[in-house]
Each structure stands twice: as C-alpha cells, then as structure tokens.
Amino acid sequence: MSYQENPRQDDQASVSSGEEALFKLAFQPDQWALFLDIDGTLIDLADTPDGIVVPPDLPENLHHLSTKLNGALALVTGRALAYADRLFVPYTFPIAGLHGSERRGPSGEISRFTPNAAFEELKAALAREAKQWPGVLVEDKGAAVAAHYRQAPDQRETVEAAMPRYLDMAGPDFTLQRGKMVAEIRPAQASKGHALKAFLDETPFNGRKPIAIGDDVTDEAMFRTANRLGGHSIRIAETPAETEAISTLPSTDALRAILATLAGAGTSNIA
Ligand SMILES: O=P(O)(O)OC[C@H]1O[C@H](O[C@H]2O[C@H](CO)[C@@H](O)[C@H](O)[C@H]2O)[C@H](O)[C@@H](O)[C@@H]1O
Ligand SMILES: [Mg+2]
C-alpha cells in the first residue's frame, strides 16, 4: 500500500502518516471521530449514480468500527440522505446528505433544507432540456439536482454552459457544486465542513478530534475543518490531486482494507 503526503515527503514518511492517522482510531478509540465520504471513498465510482456496488462486508465493517468508536462515525455525502441510508442496510449511521444540507445526528433527529415549489419547476425544466444532451443523466436529489456527463464527456461544455442559467433561476439560496463528471445545484448555506462541525458539537462526537476522508472538491471543506480542529484529513487520490488534505490514500480498496482491519481488531474496543 502506498501513500502520498501533502506536501509531498518521501514514500516511507507518507506511509507512516496516512496509516498512523487511521490507526489512532485503534489506539485511542475514545479520542477520535471518523467522517467518511461515500462515492469514490468507501465505494468505487461507477458509470451511473445507480450503478454503484456496495462491497458486501462494508456495512458490517462500518458498524463494528462505529461500535468501537462508541458511535463516533458519520457519513458525509453528496447523496440524498435516504438514498445513502439504503446503501448500508441493515445499519444506519449519523449522516449528512446533499453536501451537508440535510443531517441526521446521533439522536436520530433530522434537519434539512426544504426548497420551494419553484425549485421543483426548475428540476423539471432541467430534466426536459437535458433530453437534448445525449448521455447526460439528471439526478433529482430532492433539494438538489445534478447533471452527470460521465457517460457523455463531450457534453461537459454544454452542461457547464447551462447550469449557471439554472442557478440564476434557483436564486441566492442555492449554489453550483462541481464534482467528478457532474455539476449540480444545491442549497448554498451548508457545506461538508459545517456538517462535520455540527456533529462534533454533539455526543458522542464532542471532545474528540476528527479524521475526515473524501475524494472530491466538496470534501475539501471538511478537510479544512478537520485540519483547523487539530484532526487529520485524507484524500483518496489515484493520481496527485490538489488538496488541503494532510495525506492521501491511493484507492477505495486501500481505505476499505484499513477499515476492515480496524473493524476486526479487538472485541470491546479497537485496542
Ligand atoms: O459526496 P459523495 O458521497 O462522494 O457523493 C458525490 C456524488 O456521488 C455520486 O456521483 C458520483 O458517483 C457516481 C457513481 O459512482 C458517478 O457515476 C458520478 O460520475 C459521480 O459524480 C452521486 O450521484 C451524486 O449525487 C453525489 O453528489
Ligand atoms: Mg466522494
């Protein structure tokens, strides 16, 4: 397994940094909280949003790891909360969806942004126009809407040209979020960084230092927050990526292998 450090150091130092950061969970399970992005981090990317495959042992490994951290493990995703929940049945975790616009804390209480009727019309208009963009998929996520061009990279410019128009229609409560082969309009007031901080204000996350792991532009906000709070941040990146994450891991496989080890270690806690 190889790691890259940001800023780059020699390979051995990078390996130590990345692996050591995660193994802090094992040696100090009452001092750390884990924040995990989903697509491109826990789960391999696929051609379409619905094409992802959840590795069969992943939900249970996360459940065991969460138990060892006394529940201080949260998912922080751009997916809609309800969709993300379905990926990990029978387990549920504290979770932030739509890049932090909806959140279910450890108590089970859900807070979310509710768009007005005009946003429904906007989504319908985007879906209609996208029918003229061969291969582009529109994903209705409730309070957000994404236009995916992974299956039609030649449509990128068309999508990029159109989305600011839809953002204007959506108004100041919304922002344009870019991601991997996707542009989406989502509520502006939230971010993954704010979501991470909100979790840390609640039991059992409070008093712990965060480790945030992600793979995309939207995750940079939680990397910054984790770094600022004295925690650690790890970006999943097969190739060098511009990031504020303190270290990187080369693949979802590499991360899942470490999480599986952490999940399996010990009985009552990780140590
Ligand atoms: O914050 P995340 O959990 O990483 O979610 C980010 C977006 O993930 C999904 O889109 C991405 O993954 C798809 C499946 O692999 C892929 O086809 C697409 O190109 C990627 O952009 C999801 O569909 C989005 O709603 C999330 O915002
Ligand atoms: Mg991701």
Side-chain angles (χ1 to χ4, degrees), residues 160-241:
E160 288 288 351
M163 291 304 266
R165 260 196 292 120
Y166 286 96
L167 179 62
D168 281 349
M169 286 164 61
D173 288 343
F174 290 84
T175 191
L176 191 53
Q177 174 74 55
R178 291 189 174 81
K180 291 184 169 171
M181 316 292 271
V182 65
E184 77 173 274
I185 292 167
R186 67 162 178 89
Q189 102 282 4
S191 77
K192 288 194 175 189
H194 291 146
L196 186 151
K197 180 67 174 65
F199 283 122
L200 283 176
D201 288 340
E202 295 173 322
T203 305
F205 294 90
N206 53 357
R208 292 166 180 258
K209 281 187 283 186
I211 296 179
I213 311 180
D215 72 308
D216 206 351
V217 183
T218 177
D219 300 308
E220 294 291 328
M222 77 172 169
F223 297 157
R224 281 192 292 277
T225 303
N227 297 347
R228 180 169 52 80
L229 296 175
H232 199 93
S233 49
I234 300 171
R235 181 154 172 162
I236 308 297
E238 283 175 22
T239 54

Side-chain angles (χ1 to χ4, degrees), residues 104-126:
R104 184 182 62 233
S107 70
E109 194 178 332
I110 295 178
S111 58
R112 53 164 49 106
F113 177 92
T114 308
N116 59 22
F119 192 68
E120 295 299 323
E121 289 166 24
L122 177 158
K123 290 191 291 187
L126 174 59

Side-chain angles (χ1 to χ4, degrees), residues 36-43 45 76-78 99 180 192 213-219 222 236:
L36 294 161
D37 170 66
I38 296 179
D39 292 89
T41 297
L42 288 174
I43 295 175
L45 292 176
V76 186
T77 178
H99 310 274
K180 291 184 169 171
K192 288 194 175 189
I213 311 180
D215 72 308
D216 206 351
V217 183
T218 177
D219 300 308
M222 77 172 169
I236 308 297

Side-chain angles (χ1 to χ4, degrees), residues 30-50:
D30 53 342
Q31 291 181 36
W32 293 88
L34 185 58
F35 298 93
L36 294 161
D37 170 66
I38 296 179
D39 292 89
T41 297
L42 288 174
I43 295 175
D44 293 355
L45 292 176
D47 286 347
T48 65
D50 291 337

